Amino acid sequence: MTDAPFDPLTALRPWEAPEVTSWGRLPMHAVDRRAGAVSLDGDWRFQLLPAPDAPLGEVWSSSYVPGVWTVQGTDDLPRYLNIRMPFAEFPPEVPAANPTGVYERAVDVPAEWAERRIVLQVGAAESVLLVHVNGRPAGISKDSHLAAEFDLTPVVRPGERATVRLTVVKWSDASHIEDQDHWWHGGITRSVLLYARDALHLADVTVRARRDGDLRVDCRVRDAGGALPEGWYVSGELDGHLLTQDAEFDRTNAEDERVSDFLGEARLRAAVPDVRAWTAETPELYGLTVRLHRADGTVADTSRHRIGFRDVEIDGRDLLVNGERVFIRGVNRHDFHPLTGRTVSYHDMRADLVLLKRFGFNAIRTAHYPNDPALYDLADELGFYVVDEADIESHDHAHEIADDPRYLNAFVDRVSRMVLRDKNHPSVIIWSLGNESDYGANHDAAAGWVRRHDPTRPVQYEGAAKRGWADPGVASDIACPMYAPLEECLAHAMSGTQTKPLIQCEYSHAMGNSNGTLADHWEAIETTPGLQGGFIWEFWDHGILQRVNDGRPAGRGGAGLYDNGVAAPGHRWAYGGDFGETDHDGAFIADGVVFPDRTPKPVMFEHREIAAPVRIDCFRHEGVVLSNHQHFRGLDWLAGEWELSLADGATRTAPAELPDLRPGETAAVPLPFELPEDGGEAWLTLRVTTAGDEPWAPRGTVVCLPQVRLRAAPPVRHTPVPGRPVEVGEDGLLVHPLLTAAPTLSLWRAPTDNDELGGMAARWRDWGLHAPARKVVAVRRDPGRVAVVCDYLCTGGAVRHEQVFTAVEGGLLVEECAELPEALHDVARVGSVFETAAGLNLLEWFGQGPWESYPDREAGAPVGHHSLPVDELFTPYLRPQESGGRHGVRRFTLSAPDATGLAVRLDRPRQVSVTRHRAADLAAVTHHDELVPRAGCVVHIDAAHRGLGTASCGPDTFASYLVAAGVHRWSWTLRVL
Ligand code: GAL
Ligand code: MG
């Protein structure tokens, strides 16, 4: 590979030189809005070389920019590893086999750009970018999630065609600090463009806009020729209101002879009266235009920004936005797309944020790197608090790198470039120094830079906060742990030693069927001073759409080949190991609150309710008490409708007049319905929707469904009918025309990811809970009544199970009792399982729903009359597992289109599931597309069902949601329709 022509950029071997963070790259600046740029997105000529110093071949293919070659038909496929690096070399070294993409295209440089400065901007490339233009070296850049700009004026001629070559080296010293938990790809992931500006220009604009209307705009002015021309000045306007140049500031600057010739600094000011402050609830934006003038008044440069007036401060252990202690209802969001891998369009980002708004989120941590500039524009516009995180994660070699002076440049470079770019966004309220990189001097250096450059925002870094929440040192103003047990957070908040706001940077790991105890967390957060929220891990299940026949990523051609969270036939959602890798971290990449196609998982409904802006506090004196749980808004943007659900009747509705409540206020409103004397259990729901169109939701979008119980269920009584026979076989199994498998005891569920990674599933397998031998001990027959006693033999001991079948008025009463020996102290479930004949395809139930819910994730599922086709009850988690459960079910019917079928009434609200899969079917496969639905239904009625917890990464469920050993009793009636 030595016969390649000499090239100074490759000769430097910058991919193994951490000290080299860039060469020829222009300084970072705030993103502004400029017209006239030429987009270079589209198909580029492309070659994938085996190493950066390998010679170019003869044959070119093509590659779409922006995009990663790993999903565009090359043999270098995506690879998923969480912590471990995909190669053994120690930092800063990389393997000799180092895929390198060479992108080339011709660009017509507009003739009217003569005399102007011509800039190439590469939105993002991973992990090292080498730029050649017309065969000449033009620059080097690292920092895979921020743009790099290069001054091409010396190497191109306006009016002529230029050849731009972008060489992207996949593995580098920088990969060691980009070891985030997601897919490894290679390519150019954000847009490429060319633009021109005058020699005299605004090099940067820094906006400080406070909630009292005080506006300060600092302008840095440069001239490409060196010395600034005499007499330049700046002007500005804010939505038509003129800003004034701060003469005091100019005077001070003019006295400094060192800078005045070549560095211009000017400050514009305004005191904006009656300012509409920006918050995530009220994302009020103003348009700012800054102009740079030559002495004769002509405009040399214009820079446009949308700004928001707001303050962020820390007061003791409270993080305040505009003086209010706001709750952070956050999520961690990666740049992900099931077809492009990493490239997300404006449309995608908007859809992500719109969905988050609709489900009650108000904050985003840009885990774990700066996002596309458009994401921050959208966060400003739709209203999100953003923790902006630098692209630093050295997870596998964290300790070595944190104090390695060779990486010092890179740390400061990455953090400072992020701050320089994003400083004008009102949405950004906190800077994060990165993720999982231990803690060392390199962090403190970066923190020092931020503190000097932007004293207006707090800094956070989990690695520093780990030293001690009360004293994280210079690198963190916030105690921002990940996956801290709730009791530890509470203990800290109540210890009297708390000094910083406690906002978890990651909590409630959303892998598979998860997020148990979210409501318990929020109850604690909302009632404990010192706790302020956190960021759920994470938004996406990063399943890449894959063709099953050839194992290739579907790429952009896969558009439309998925729906409702499910890949089309012949396709599946790939996770770690699916592209032929032998060393990988499997389904750990599928840990989001949405499926790879952005279909919300059931936890989203839980979150929406937990975040409800208006709630029903209680029912008393013929009325209910409503409260406003927002920080800044009234209820006027919401509309309401009352729903009365009676167990033994239809649902009734009535329009609701929402009271005029300021944040934190409560008011009693009279009950909208006369409660009928009969009708049993009664629930009142306030269906809250948007009263008008919001930028993120059309009028009528559901915001929350708060609920209160008005009347408890009366006890159920049964009247035996001793004359009616009960058919039970010699094997003790019920014989019933509609059942293809009689009710037996179930102690197991298809392990969830939490069950597997938390170690419970292994224990259950050891105990043999998935297939205990059933031994009939006794069958006793009386008129209209048969009692069966069985033992289920597990390694942890025998479980005695008794079933008494009694003919009662209106059907068959099944009374059950199971006694678990002490050794079986934490099983998945105790309950009955049976299977029905084919054709019963509709489930109607009175209980919680309509979406999936579990004992520790049920706060968002209101009680009511629900109905769904059986095929829609199941949630298609990427790795099949327990799914489709409904909590708090009081009774249900399973029916065929001709209304025949069966009806079940439970002794009290129970966990029920009706699916097409046995637990063993689910546990036997690795991907959803391998599941073969059964024709009949598999029905579980649980006396007790274990909570879900979050043990795949973080705390398990609470003790109160475990299934205890000892005696469990439950009963139900079965009736033929
Ligand atoms: C955290 C990490 C995330 C992710 C998560 C587990 O430790 O910061 O990047 O790996 O765990 O899914
Ligand atoms: Mg990590």
Side-chain angles (χ1 to χ4, degrees), residues 82 181 368 393 435-436 482-483 506 509 537 588 591 953:
N82 168 11
D181 178 5
H368 301 299
E393 175 162 347
N435 188 54
E436 298 190 317
M482 45 174 76
Y483 313 107
E506 294 175 29
H509 196 247
W537 186 267
F588 206 63
D591 55 359
C953 180

Side-chain angles (χ1 to χ4, degrees), residues 12-37:
L12 261 176
R13 297 182 62 77
W15 51 88
E16 283 183 330
E19 306 84 349
V20 179
T21 53
S22 69
W23 174 79
R25 188 176 68 191
L26 294 169
M28 184 55 95
H29 53 83
V31 179
D32 53 11
R33 287 144 210 287
R34 285 165 191 282

Side-chain angles (χ1 to χ4, degrees), residues 229-269:
E230 287 288 318
W232 64 268
Y233 65 99
V234 292
S235 70
E237 63 183 82
L238 185 78
D239 286 347
H241 178 101
L242 285 186
L243 273 54
T244 47
Q245 193 160 336
D246 185 335
E248 182 62 29
F249 178 85
D250 294 348
R251 192 159 46 247
T252 333
N253 248 3
E255 282 160 12
D256 188 340
E257 287 169 6
R258 288 165 306 156
V259 296
S260 49
D261 280 354
F262 63 92
L263 170 61
E265 291 186 350
R267 176 171 292 174
L268 295 164
R269 295 205 84 121

